[in-house]
Amino acid sequence: MDNYLNKTYIILDRELKGYFRTPLASIFLLVFLALSSGMTFFLGRFFERDQADLTAFFSWHPWLFLVLMPAIGMRLWAEERRSGTIELLITLPVTNTQLVVGKFLASWIFTLIALILTMPIWITVNYLGEPDNHVILISYFGSWLMAGAFLALTSCLSALTKNQVIAFIISSISGFVLIMAGFNLVLSAVRSWSPNWITETISSMSFLSHFSRIQMGVFDLSTLVFFVSMIILCLWINVQLVQVKKAD
Amino acid sequence: MSDKLINATNLKKSFDQFIAVDNIDLSVSRGEVVGFLGPNGAGKSTTMKMLTGFLEPDNGKIFINNINLKSDPLKAKEYIGYLPEGAPSYSDMIVADFLSFIGKMRGLNDNSLTNRLEEMANQINLKEMWNRPIETLSKGFKRRVGIAQALIHDPDILILDEPTDGLDPNQKHEMRNLIKRISTNKAIVISTHILEEVEAVCSRAVIISNGKLLANDTPKNLENKFLNKNTLSIKVSNKINNVFSKEIKSLLKYDDVKIQKTDISTHTLLVSDSKKNPNLNIVLKQISKLKLDVIEANFQKVSLEEIFRTITSENNSK
């Protein structure tokens, strides 16, 4: 078991450092901070709202992640397949699950770093008023969990192609569908021909409705189960895709 | 228990309708260097990918050091060092970090990793490039990094897919010397379409074409098998003019006698006959009457290249 975790950690370590070896990490972090604070202050009208909370900050996260998570995750497998290094990885004494999990965790930790860097906004709101820090903490955790689901989806889809741009586009489109799943736009297209339970299931998969509950400070088990099982399902499909597509 | 480090039987692999590898058997013992020869697309790389566990065969069994690759892939892969075609590596990493990553993944602890890294830097001449990003290295150095990652855990089995492809003649020579140096206690399989490479480093040549194994023998035996017994070649250190040439031809009672100038001072007599093989002793006795100084006499040798062309073109025409 130790050995199993150790090798997953070595993969994670290499991937995580990989983000910082190129300008990718600094560009991403800059864009993330600029967009998240820009959206909070200009689109979310943080000051005009005159409320000591971070709703204006968190409510934009699903839309921000829709673009930024595919940007982090698109290279995970597409690049390995393009450069042929997938052949090195698969012939090492590790399982595909270790590889998939190690790579995913690296990207998830990178996102955690990005989220931690937004903490000055938390400090600001505490300086300006008396926010419910419990709700903010839950929102941070929920946001990270949602980012994980986006990343797992991207990782899985990036195993389908050798082209990072294609991986980015299909991940963004799939992410959009998952965000919008609770909206009439998606539901009305399904409702006319499918039984009720399918509509209900699709509606319950909406990232947006799960995340809006979290923002209100409601973190129930169903939300946790939803995001965690979403991550596990995507990674499981990821492992299968790596196996099937490795030699294409 | 078998002393074969690689023992593969009835390997078969198809991609859709295309049969890439068709019932190939291959076994390699410690100390052997097997040269995998074949035209492009013959199935060399596919076979190697199966031996290293990258691809699963549709049929057949592979035992690595008596471990079934299918049932215990993690254990079996520990014994193998592999250089995939084109020597892929993480180009944004520096050489030291990349080798250290592979070493750790191969299960080396801190102490042995430090030792092995040092050995690799010296043995494979990577010292001056040690802290350079791989993407800035020349093709030759990238190939060396590829070899170093395959050797980092000092594996019993080494599988190298076209290790000298794209290298200049000096680098090729170095790479062959390296392979020779490390071959004593390992089982090595190298694929190549350069025949001189097989002659230079391999103890056995395996020729495949269209996914089928066509020959599996030492380069020497292959040459003997395909030795052209019909043509006797005699090199003499005499100058032969037209008159002398006619005299020789009339003396030797064979269908076809050719006299070629080899260089300034030597000529070669090529003696053949459609009905019977020329007899070396008789021919030598006959030409001694003419006071010719014989330097070398043998049946004409065919190069491995000719054997390769004969075998693979026969298979294609079938």
Side-chain angles (χ1 to χ4, degrees):
Chain A
M1 192 64 191
D2 262 6
N3 190 33
Y4 194 88
L5 291 178
N6 188 27
K7 289 199 175 154
T8 311
Y9 172 74
I10 298 165
I11 297 277
L12 185 164
D13 182 56
R14 195 204 78 79
E15 284 293 328
L16 189 58
K17 284 177 182 157
Y19 286 108
F20 294 94
R21 262 193 294 274
T22 59
L24 184 76
S26 36
I27 291 172
F28 176 85
L29 292 173
L30 266 174
V31 170
F32 179 75
L33 293 177
L35 284 180
S36 62
S37 41
M39 284 172 160
T40 308
F41 291 108
F42 298 111
L43 295 175
R45 300 177 175 278
F46 178 71
F47 289 117
E48 288 90 328
R49 288 177 81 246
D50 205 21
Q51 283 178 24
D53 64 20
L54 284 181
T55 309
F57 170 66
F58 286 113
S59 61
W60 295 104
H61 279 198
W63 303 104
L64 205 56
F65 290 171
L66 181 61
V67 179
L68 294 181
M69 293 306 115
I72 298 181
M74 63 185 184
R75 59 187 272 282
L76 284 175
W77 288 100
E79 183 59 17
E80 299 280 357
R81 288 188 51 201
R82 191 196 59 78
S83 65
T85 42
I86 191 165
E87 215 169 323
L88 281 183
L89 286 184
I90 304 256
T91 52
L92 290 170
V94 280
T95 63
N96 289 1
T97 309
Q98 283 171 297
L99 295 170
V100 166
V101 171
K103 277 170 160 284
F104 162 75
L105 287 179
S107 65
W108 205 15
I109 290 173
F110 182 67
T111 314
L112 183 65
I113 297 171
L115 280 173
I116 288 171
L117 289 175
T118 65
M119 287 206 171
I121 206 164
W122 189 1
I123 298 166
T124 310
V125 83
N126 268 285
Y127 175 73
L128 295 173
E130 284 176 8
D132 185 344
N133 283 321
H134 180 70
V135 173
I136 293 178
L137 195 66
I138 286 177
S139 300
Y140 260 115
F141 181 66
S143 175
W144 186 53
L145 208 54
M146 181 173 62
F150 271 114
L151 283 170
L153 180 71
T154 307
S155 173
C156 166
L157 294 174
S158 85
L160 276 176
T161 171
K162 289 180 183 177
N163 187 320
Q164 293 194 37
V165 179
I166 293 174
F168 177 83
I169 293 169
I170 55 175
S171 303
S172 292
I173 292 173
S174 314
F176 182 71
V177 171
L178 282 171
I179 286 185
M180 298 297 286
F183 283 72
N184 260 334
L185 180 75
V186 173
L187 291 181
S188 59
V190 182
R191 199 175 282 136
S192 55
W193 54 269
S194 70
N196 213 20
W197 65 270
I198 291 187
T199 321
E200 292 286 312
T201 313
I202 292 175
S203 163
S204 69
M205 284 175 72
S206 167
F207 276 27
L208 212 54
S209 51
H210 279 285
F211 189 61
S212 57
R213 298 238 294 280
I214 292 174
Q215 278 184 79
M216 288 184 276
V218 186
F219 195 85
D220 48 28
L221 191 67
S222 69
T223 300
L224 181 70
V225 169
F226 170 71
F227 281 123
V228 171
S229 48
M230 184 80 197
I231 292 172
I232 294 174
L233 176 70
C234 285
L235 294 184
W236 181 80
I237 298 173
N238 196 167
V239 172
Q240 313 310 315
L241 282 178
V242 168
Q243 180 65 17
V244 175
K245 304 288 285 182
K246 62 186 178 187
D248 276 11
Chain B
M1 291 291 273
S2 141
D3 61 343
K4 310 276 185 209
L5 285 178
I6 299 175
N7 198 0
T9 45
N10 298 324
L11 287 189
K12 198 166 185 178
K13 182 80 187 170
S14 330
F15 299 103
D16 297 323
Q17 298 296 316
F18 174 69
I19 301 171
V21 173
D22 193 3
N23 267 328
I24 283 188
D25 293 328
L26 181 77
S27 57
V28 189
S29 306
R30 199 179 290 277
E32 268 193 303
V33 182
V34 171
F36 231 47
L37 278 169
N40 289 329
K44 299 180 300 251
S45 289
T46 308
T47 308
M48 292 185 136
K49 282 175 183 163
M50 288 193 278
L51 295 178
T52 52
F54 181 65
L55 288 178
E56 293 78 22
D58 298 336
N59 197 18
K61 282 188 174 150
I62 300 169
F63 287 89
I64 299 294
N65 208 1
N66 295 307
I67 298 160
N68 190 333
L69 183 61
K70 193 178 178 185
S71 55
D72 195 355
L74 296 190
K75 187 83 196 137
K77 284 175 185 177
E78 283 178 8
Y79 293 96
I80 305 173
Y82 176 41
L83 172 75
E85 194 176 357
S89 57
Y90 293 108
S91 53
D92 55 341
M93 291 178 102
I94 63 166
V95 175
D97 286 352
F98 174 64
L99 294 180
S100 161
F101 163 68
I102 299 286
K104 284 183 204 158
M105 289 300 287
R106 289 284 183 189
L108 296 180
N109 61 31
D110 288 350
N111 267 345
S112 45
L113 181 64
T114 315
N115 291 340
R116 285 300 291 165
L117 286 173
E118 206 179 313
E119 277 174 50
M120 287 298 106
N122 294 326
Q123 200 178 6
I124 315 212
N125 283 334
L126 281 169
K127 259 184 183 164
E128 47 186 316
M129 301 295 160
W130 203 240
N131 290 311
R132 292 256 301 262
I134 297 173
E135 61 197 349
T136 64
L137 303 185
S138 67
K139 209 168 183 176
F141 272 108
K142 278 185 189 159
R143 204 48 62 107
R144 281 194 215 174
V145 173
I147 294 273
Q149 67 77 22
L151 276 172
I152 191 83
H153 56 304
D154 197 14
D156 285 333
I157 297 164
L158 204 53
I159 295 178
L160 310 173
D161 201 347
E162 300 195 351
T164 60
D165 187 41
L167 301 188
D168 68 35
N170 288 337
Q171 292 167 331
K172 276 183 185 161
H173 183 73
E174 262 177 53
M175 188 65 80
R176 284 172 200 156
N177 280 345
L178 174 73
I179 294 171
K180 266 193 232 167
R181 245 191 349 257
I182 56 176
S183 65
T184 45
N185 60 348
K186 295 186 195 306
I188 302 180
V189 181
I190 64 168
S191 82
T192 178
H193 42 243
I194 307 163
L195 294 135
E196 53 179 286
E197 199 153 283
V198 176
E199 281 162 336
V201 296
C202 298
S203 52
R204 189 147 56 94
V206 169
I207 300 179
I208 66 170
S209 178
N210 292 336
K212 287 196 169 68
L213 197 144
L214 303 178
N216 183 358
D217 215 328
T218 60
K220 195 98 210 127
N221 280 353
L222 279 178
E223 276 169 18
N224 286 338
K225 232 184 246 179
F226 288 85
L227 211 62
N228 194 346
K229 284 270 164 71
N230 293 321
T231 307
L232 186 59
S233 158
I234 299 163
K235 200 173 178 184
V236 293
S237 62
N238 303 78
K239 285 187 179 165
I240 300 174
N241 57 25
N242 279 345
V243 183
F244 195 21
S245 171
K246 275 180 192 159
E247 201 178 329
I248 297 171
K249 282 179 184 172
S250 66
L251 180 75
L252 297 172
K253 304 263 180 296
Y254 290 101
D255 279 1
D256 189 14
V257 178
K258 286 192 190 101
I259 297 165
Q260 293 171 347
K261 191 174 180 184
T262 326
D263 52 51
I264 306 167
S265 56
T266 64
H267 278 77
T268 302
L269 282 59
L270 295 170
V271 185
S272 62
D273 198 294
S274 54
K275 289 172 213 106
K276 55 185 183 214
N277 279 343
N279 184 307
L280 180 63
N281 283 333
I282 295 172
V283 174
L284 285 178
K285 243 180 227 167
Q286 286 172 337
I287 58 174
S288 66
K289 291 176 194 160
L290 297 169
K291 301 218 164 99
L292 282 171
D293 300 321
V294 177
I295 311 170
E296 205 179 281
N298 51 33
F299 283 97
Q300 201 173 36
K301 251 187 149 185
V302 273
S303 67
L304 204 50
E305 193 160 325
E306 282 168 78
I307 298 171
F308 175 78
R309 251 187 279 125
T310 314
I311 295 180
T312 52
S313 59
E314 266 173 18
N315 182 57
N316 281 338
S317 61
K318 272 180 207 165

